[in-house]
Amino acid sequence: MTARAADRARYDRATAHLDAPVAIVDLEAFDANADDLVRRAGGKPIRVASKSVRCRALLERALARDGFAGIMSFTLAESLWLARSGFEDVLLAYPSADRGGYAELTADPKLASAVTVMVDDPAQLGYIDAARDGGREVVRVCLELDTSLRLFGGRVRVGARRSPLHSPAQVADLARAVARRPGFRVVGVMAYEGHVAGVGDAVAGRPLRSRAVRLMQTAARRELAERRAAVVRAVRAVVPDLEFVNGGGTGSVQHTAAEDAVTEIAAGSGLYVPRLFDNYTSFSGRPAALFAQPVVRRPGVGVVTVLGGGYPASGAAGTDRLPVPYLPEGLRYDPQEGAGEVQTPLLGSPADDLLIGDKVWFRHAKAGELCERFDALHLVEGDTVTATVPTYRGEGRTYL
């Protein structure tokens, strides 16, 4: 029996009392992935990206381990909820236009001390001030650096379109603007190199593209390391007591951690290891989060149909954004139908061994987005479900 077949047998036994659709997290794999992230971080703390987990119980599990400290959140409302739930260090990774949230933040000393907001434009400071509604608490501010690689005099850009702040001078100018404005304090700098951390460099069947990605990432890491160090020097000249410099992502942990200027690493997807991380040479992890759909039809030889399963991930549309049939091995989508809203036909010889009601296990393309489809995660240890915990959705929290 292969390792994957053994996993399938375990998951089927563990969830035999549960009807599909059902989502699980294999705790042994989750913990092993956490240990690997800590190893790659080389002693620098890992801030857990909540958007990649979206389950309070599993955020708590990660943060209880040595090597993890703090949360990187994705909306202001989520940040306030987490702070009220007892998480004491929450960095909001994206600028917000939540006026009500800012009013709450600036009126509550506990929230203001626990939550750091992201800023990359002086206009955002004015927006926050206009939303204060009498709140006088000092707002903790993190400045975001644009990490994109710019080539040929800026005519070619590689990387996400995030912050407008690219040079050390631009970031330092904003740090001075914050320092001059009452009610705000710069405490951190963040730089997320998504074109390194979030792009696979070993895509099956595409050797030339994979080599080009590796060359790009090598150049991008070198350029960003130099520029990030210069940015931090420039900001520290304005804010000598800067608390943290955050960088990285699951796909670049060890490379980012090697930079002296970086004090902490952001990662979250590496705890679940969704299918997008199958295309990396920098690390390998164990799939920890899976979902199962039930077989409801057997249309013919070599075909079964499962209920639902059309759970595409965000990003540019493509087949790489679809979940992948994982267990039993050897199933594939019908190219004419793909993953369906209500039903999904699957092709392959393993279909002939599946019966009505059997579970087919899938891996989602991205990590935490799976939790927007399920209100609970069943935690598996060995061949037993040892706990069932709510996702954000299960707690009535849908933030985007």
Side-chain angles (χ1 to χ4, degrees):
M1 181 181 291
T2 67
R4 278 175 61 173
D7 282 341
R8 180 195 173 201
R10 285 197 303 116
Y11 300 150
D12 282 348
R13 286 195 299 270
T15 61
H17 62 295
L18 299 171
D19 289 335
V22 65
I24 66 167
V25 170
D26 184 330
L27 290 181
E28 182 181 333
F30 181 94
D31 291 344
N33 293 333
D35 289 343
D36 187 62
L37 287 170
V38 171
R39 177 190 61 80
R40 290 199 287 138
K44 293 186 177 178
I46 297 170
R47 186 180 290 274
V48 184
S50 64
K51 78 178 182 67
S52 300
V53 179
R54 302 195 203 199
C55 170
R56 279 199 299 169
L58 291 174
L59 289 173
E60 291 168 353
R61 186 180 184 93
L63 288 170
R65 305 179 72 85
D66 290 341
F68 289 84
I71 287 178
M72 176 177 282
S73 58
F74 58 95
T75 73
L76 181 54
E78 178 214 14
S79 305
L80 301 178
W81 176 61
L82 291 173
R84 289 195 180 95
S85 300
F87 295 96
E88 297 178 348
D89 180 6
V90 183
L91 169 63
L92 174 57
Y94 307 89
S96 176
D98 181 352
R99 290 175 294 184
Y102 284 132
E104 292 180 48
L105 177 70
T106 57
D108 188 320
K110 178 183 176 182
L111 296 178
S113 66
V115 176
T116 301
V117 305
M118 194 63 59
V119 168
D120 58 28
D121 188 321
Q124 294 157 350
L125 303 176
Y127 190 93
I128 295 170
D129 270 340
R132 282 179 179 268
D133 193 26
R136 297 181 179 275
E137 295 298 322
V138 172
V139 176
R140 292 168 54 85
V141 169
C142 180
L143 309 178
E144 182 170 3
L145 168 68
D146 168 42
T147 65
S148 65
L149 175 64
R150 299 182 181 181
L151 304 171
F152 306 109
R155 292 190 296 276
V156 174
R157 171 196 178 106
V158 181
R161 297 183 182 276
R162 291 176 64 114
S163 169
L165 307 176
H166 190 78
S167 70
Q170 288 174 314
V171 185
D173 283 346
L174 183 55
R176 281 187 283 271
V178 176
R180 288 193 299 265
R181 192 165 190 135
F184 296 90
R185 179 164 67 93
V186 174
V187 298
V189 172
M190 186 190 87
Y192 171 59
E193 53 269 37
H195 50 303
V196 178
V199 178
D201 63 346
V203 181
R206 305 190 67 179
L208 294 180
R209 181 183 186 281
S210 297
R211 177 170 173 75
V213 169
R214 288 194 290 274
L215 291 172
M216 175 275 292
Q217 290 179 339
T218 298
R221 287 197 301 266
R222 185 182 305 116
E223 185 275 336
L224 179 58
E226 295 177 359
R227 182 159 52 91
R228 180 155 40 199
V231 165
V232 172
R233 288 194 297 270
V235 173
R236 287 195 185 278
V238 181
V239 187
D241 57 346
L242 194 68
E243 294 179 15
F244 65 86
V245 177
N246 181 282
T250 290
S252 66
V253 170
Q254 64 269 41
H255 302 296
T256 307
E259 296 182 32
D260 290 338
V262 174
T263 66
E264 63 175 42
I265 309 298
S269 297
L271 295 168
Y272 287 170
V273 185
R275 66 166 292 202
L276 285 182
F277 287 115
D278 291 347
N279 302 321
Y280 283 70
T281 59
S282 61
F283 81 105
S284 60
R286 293 174 55 182
L290 302 95
F291 68 94
Q293 304 296 109
V295 173
V296 292
R297 284 179 171 164
R298 292 169 49 86
V301 176
V303 186
V304 291
T305 301
V306 298
L307 182 71
Y311 305 159
S314 60
T319 56
D320 64 338
R321 301 290 149 168
L322 296 178
V324 61
Y326 184 60
L327 301 171
E329 296 181 66
L331 294 173
R332 64 187 186 278
Y333 291 119
D334 181 336
Q336 297 185 65
E337 296 197 48
E341 177 189 8
V342 177
Q343 68 169 29
T344 297
L346 298 172
L347 312 180
S349 59
D352 294 330
D353 297 322
L354 291 170
L355 304 177
I356 299 298
D358 282 353
K359 294 180 174 76
V360 174
W361 294 92
F362 293 77
R363 293 170 64 202
H364 203 265
K366 296 180 73 173
E369 293 182 27
L370 170 64
C371 294
E372 297 298 335
R373 299 286 184 168
F374 291 88
D375 60 9
L377 297 173
H378 301 280
L379 308 184
V380 173
E381 297 184 72
D383 60 0
T384 304
V385 170
T386 56
T388 298
V389 295
T391 61
Y392 278 16
R393 174 180 171 176
E395 297 199 67
R397 305 286 174 170
T398 52
Y399 290 109
L400 287 174

